[in-house]
Amino acid sequence: MMPPAAMLPCLGRALPRGKHCRCRRVAALLGRARPKADLACPRPSIQVERIEADSVTDATRKHRFGPSSWDGQVPWERSSMMTPQALAEEDVEEFILQEIQAFAPMQPRPLSMQEVLEMLDPQRIAKFLHVEVPIRYAERIRWIQDIPGWEDMPDLVKVNDIHVQTFRELRLVERQPKLDQFTSAVQRAVASQQAVRQALARGMHSLHTERGPEYGSSFADPWLDKFLLNSIGTDMLLSQYLACVSMGHGERPTRGVFSGGIIDPDCDVAQICRDTAVLVQEITEEHTGRCPLIRVEVFQESGIPRFSYIPGFLKFILTELLKNSCRATAEIAKSDREVQKRPINVIVCADEHDVAIRISDRARGIPFEVGDKVWSYLYTTSGKGKGKDSLQEATSLSGYGMGLPLSRLYARYLGGSLNLVSLPGYGASADLFLTRVNAEQIEIVPDEDAE
């Protein structure tokens, strides 16, 4: 039985870093009394059982550790969560405050593609997520609350509230004897994330507008890179769990669900390029009245070999890249005939290790004075407005200035890369590289405690 929260010590992570407790920021959010400033914070003590590799006998090692585990531990054997029992209602808020402080310094455990495919059983992946996801949420909560005066920024408060609520639900939910309650909590977590990215974009623009250059691109870009890359992994795991549950119930496969959950073990890159090209052409024609020509070419004698990947991620990247090229082409062309003379080429090729996709256009490229600004979350070519006001002009063709940098994060998430080359006056090309080897497709999960 876990002791009542009122009897637990503050589980802040500040003491190991030689700082004072920062619980007051979380306490302010949760409406609790602030802790005294002179109270030291002991090291975190969390109810998590961990299995260390060197504590396992030779007889059980073969069962628990396998060649597909990149760090020597099978993820679903790594930890087990103990849900608090019989907490009084008035103690719940204090308990969550302390748990956030306890989980924040814990290091996340990235998964390889192969490991994810070995966790298609809902019980297996639920056991892993029950500990792993709160760790990642707590890290992001800490990053928000590290921004001075975040409480005065409505959009950052909104994102923080969403994260704290999700952490609370996942920390208190039971996953035994059945997964029904856990599944409902995961569904709410996935739904709540839909509002996060737009709120973050507005929040960072507001910071820059209201507080000046100190919170410009040099601050916003690396902060958003780590926050969003961390959240991409969380979203993937939660969506994968829901897909595994639907497969376990024998439901008819829905769009975006494959034999490997949201992962397609037989991902057809060339076909996804063709389908996305048609979609973007329709969007461009709807908004500009013109339909740029997109050519998809495969350069491989035997066809592009298929591999395990997340089609939803690839579609997002391709859609953003093609929208940029199509919109630029439609804007500079003076007639439909000229549009056809400026084709957008998509080249797909591969070897045994990587798949490469190049998207090139003849839309006069990116001016030298713009340069790397295209990778900034504070830069947008949508409309003529600046700062927060420009976000109100987003459409399905041109968004909130997050499309290109977010696409690069999706590529990086599993070890890939996205690069851009511009020839001002002629055109631009984007090169996307994706790793094909399952064991080398390992999550990149930003974590300051590991740095």
Side-chain angles (χ1 to χ4, degrees), residues 62-363:
K62 183 177 180 181
H63 171 69
R64 289 177 174 163
F65 308 129
S68 63
S69 180
W70 63 269
D71 69 345
Q73 288 185 300
V74 175
W76 57 91
E77 293 281 3
R78 184 180 70 112
S79 58
S80 181
M81 175 70 74
M82 294 180 63
T83 304
Q85 300 178 13
L87 278 176
E89 184 64 29
E90 60 270 18
D91 292 331
V92 172
E93 302 292 349
E94 183 70 17
F95 173 75
I96 295 302
L97 181 155
Q98 294 169 355
E99 291 293 87
I100 290 173
Q101 295 290 320
F103 274 78
M106 299 175 70
Q107 292 187 7
R109 199 291 191 176
L111 295 175
S112 69
M113 178 72 76
Q114 185 62 42
E115 288 172 333
V116 177
L117 291 173
E118 291 176 352
M119 286 197 294
L120 297 181
D121 174 68
Q123 289 284 356
R124 179 175 285 184
I125 189 172
K127 182 181 179 183
F128 176 76
L129 295 188
H130 205 186
V131 173
E132 182 66 21
V133 172
I135 291 174
R136 301 190 190 190
Y137 267 86
E139 182 82 65
R140 298 202 295 274
I141 291 170
R142 183 177 66 185
W143 290 337
I144 294 172
Q145 295 174 0
D146 276 343
I147 298 176
W150 68 272
E151 304 96 327
D152 301 324
M153 310 301 296
D155 288 304
L156 294 184
V157 171
K158 178 180 180 179
V159 175
N160 189 77
D161 290 350
I162 290 172
H163 278 67
V164 171
Q165 178 61 27
T166 299
F167 180 94
R168 173 192 175 113
E169 291 193 23
L170 292 175
R171 184 63 189 93
L172 298 179
V173 71
E174 296 275 1
R175 58 177 175 83
Q176 297 292 346
K178 294 184 178 181
L179 290 173
D180 294 350
Q181 294 183 20
F182 185 78
T183 300
S184 296
V186 171
Q187 289 172 334
R188 289 190 293 272
V190 171
S192 69
Q193 287 298 305
Q194 296 177 3
V196 166
R197 289 176 182 172
Q198 186 175 343
L200 282 174
R202 288 195 304 262
M204 286 297 139
H205 277 272
S206 295
L207 272 176
H208 179 48
T209 301
E210 297 177 16
R211 301 185 184 180
E214 182 181 357
Y215 290 93
S217 295
S218 60
F219 170 81
D221 293 342
W223 191 94
L224 283 169
D225 271 348
K226 70 178 182 181
F227 191 99
L228 292 171
L229 187 53
N230 185 294
S231 67
I232 284 174
T234 306
D235 295 345
M236 187 283 287
L237 293 175
L238 295 176
S239 298
Q240 175 68 3
Y241 168 77
L242 293 178
C244 292
V245 169
S246 69
M247 293 190 299
H249 288 167
E251 299 175 6
R252 173 181 291 184
T254 58
R255 186 176 182 180
V257 177
F258 308 88
S259 62
I262 64 170
I263 300 169
D264 185 358
D266 197 31
C267 186
D268 188 339
V269 176
Q271 189 58 48
I272 291 176
C273 288
R274 298 186 188 101
D275 294 341
T276 305
V278 172
L279 173 63
V280 175
Q281 283 177 316
E282 294 173 352
I283 294 174
T284 306
E285 188 171 20
E286 177 184 352
H287 287 276
T288 69
R290 289 175 176 162
C291 183
L293 175 63
I294 303 178
R295 299 170 177 167
V296 178
E297 301 177 86
V298 176
F299 287 86
Q300 192 82 9
E301 292 184 0
S302 58
I304 296 299
R306 302 184 181 191
F307 70 115
S308 297
Y309 201 70
I310 305 171
F313 287 10
L314 180 56
K315 290 176 183 177
F316 179 91
I317 298 170
L318 294 173
T319 299
E320 292 301 321
L321 295 177
L322 287 172
K323 283 197 303 184
N324 287 341
S325 290
C326 283
R327 182 165 61 89
T329 299
E331 287 179 350
I332 67 168
K334 298 180 180 179
S335 65
D336 291 342
R337 183 176 181 181
E338 184 179 354
V339 169
Q340 299 305 305
K341 290 183 177 180
R342 296 179 181 272
I344 298 167
N345 295 310
V346 180
I347 299 173
V348 185
C349 54
D351 61 15
E352 295 181 355
H353 191 272
D354 297 293
V355 170
I357 303 172
R358 168 170 287 182
I359 297 176
S360 58
D361 61 49
R362 293 183 56 192

Side-chain angles (χ1 to χ4, degrees), residues 2-5 7-16 41-50 81-82 84 95 97-106 167 171:
M2 180 173 288
M7 298 174 60
L8 293 174
C10 173
L11 298 179
R13 66 183 302 281
L15 188 62
C41 301
R43 295 182 66 84
S45 177
I46 188 65
Q47 299 294 322
V48 176
E49 299 173 1
R50 298 195 178 278
M81 175 70 74
M82 294 180 63
F95 173 75
L97 181 155
Q98 294 169 355
E99 291 293 87
I100 290 173
Q101 295 290 320
F103 274 78
M106 299 175 70
F167 180 94
R171 184 63 189 93

